[in-house]
Amino acid sequence: MTDTRGPQPQYEGYAAGPLPGEREPAPGQAGPYHPPQAYPSPPGGTHGGRPQGAPQGAGAAQAARKPRTGARTTPRTRKARLRVAKADPWSVMKVSFLLSIALGICTVVASAVLWMVMDAMGVFSTVGGTISEATGSNEGSGFDLQSFLSLPRVLIFTSVIAVIDVVLATALATLGAFIYNLSAGFVGGVELTLAEDE
């Protein structure tokens, strides 16, 4: 077939110009297209998402900053189930010896303080007078409680009790460690559950 329409006009304005709704580029403007920004750029310009004059640490801190949600996270609790399989008798003896010595010193000090308080309140004189009248006779006076319960005698008696307590407590604790080791060999020992808060 032969085209009888003849030469058709070229619509150069539509071919070279902008599409409908687009702005015409300014004359003499060349370079990449920059979209409009809602906020103006900082005076020093930006480099890598941060101002050029700002230190790199500030940019890293802003990048690592997380938004606050307002909800507190509940700490997790890790639990471990352990078993006391054996108690060392030598370490048990040393610990029990030191603890029994401390308990003996506390006993002596407490006895001395209690005697001083009771003596200041007049307990020994009142009770001693009553006992001496009750046990007295025409030939002689009765039992003297104040001389029998003097402070030196009380301290000596308490010290002897403290020494006996040190020996007995150390021996019993060591014997208890041996008995525990024997029983742990049969039943496996005492199980403990330890918890750690993060």
Side-chain angles (χ1 to χ4, degrees):
M1 293 182 65
T2 306
D3 189 5
T4 58
R5 292 182 298 176
Q8 299 294 328
Q10 298 292 332
Y11 298 95
E12 297 180 357
Y14 288 99
L19 295 176
E22 291 186 346
R23 293 181 298 178
E24 294 185 2
Q29 183 179 3
Y33 172 73
H34 297 284
Q37 296 181 359
Y39 299 98
S41 301
T46 58
H47 179 70
R50 61 183 179 87
Q52 292 182 356
Q56 188 176 1
Q62 291 178 1
R65 185 179 301 169
K66 297 181 180 179
R68 290 187 176 181
T69 57
R72 298 181 59 186
T73 58
T74 304
R76 295 184 304 166
T77 302
R78 295 192 302 177
K79 293 183 179 180
R81 193 171 182 179
L82 304 177
R83 181 188 305 166
V84 183
K86 182 180 179 181
D88 187 16
W90 175 250
S91 62
V92 171
M93 185 184 70
K94 291 188 293 184
V95 172
S96 61
F97 178 72
L98 293 178
L99 291 179
S100 58
I101 286 179
L103 182 61
I105 294 174
C106 292
T107 303
V108 173
V109 173
S111 300
V113 172
L114 181 62
W115 188 92
M116 292 178 184
V117 171
M118 293 179 67
D119 185 52
M121 293 174 61
V123 174
F124 294 122
S125 60
T126 304
V127 177
T130 304
I131 293 177
S132 62
E133 289 178 2
T135 57
S137 60
N138 296 330
E139 298 178 356
S141 60
F143 179 73
D144 191 4
L145 183 64
Q146 290 183 340
S147 61
F148 179 75
L149 293 179
S150 60
L151 183 59
R153 283 190 175 183
V154 171
L155 291 180
I156 291 174
F157 182 71
T158 309
S159 301
V160 171
I161 292 178
V163 171
I164 295 174
D165 179 62
V166 168
V167 175
L168 288 179
T170 305
L172 291 177
T174 308
L175 181 62
F178 279 108
I179 295 175
Y180 177 80
N181 292 336
L182 291 177
S183 61
F186 292 102
V187 298
V190 178
E191 291 185 356
L192 302 176
T193 301
L194 305 179
E196 178 184 4
D197 294 336
E198 291 185 356

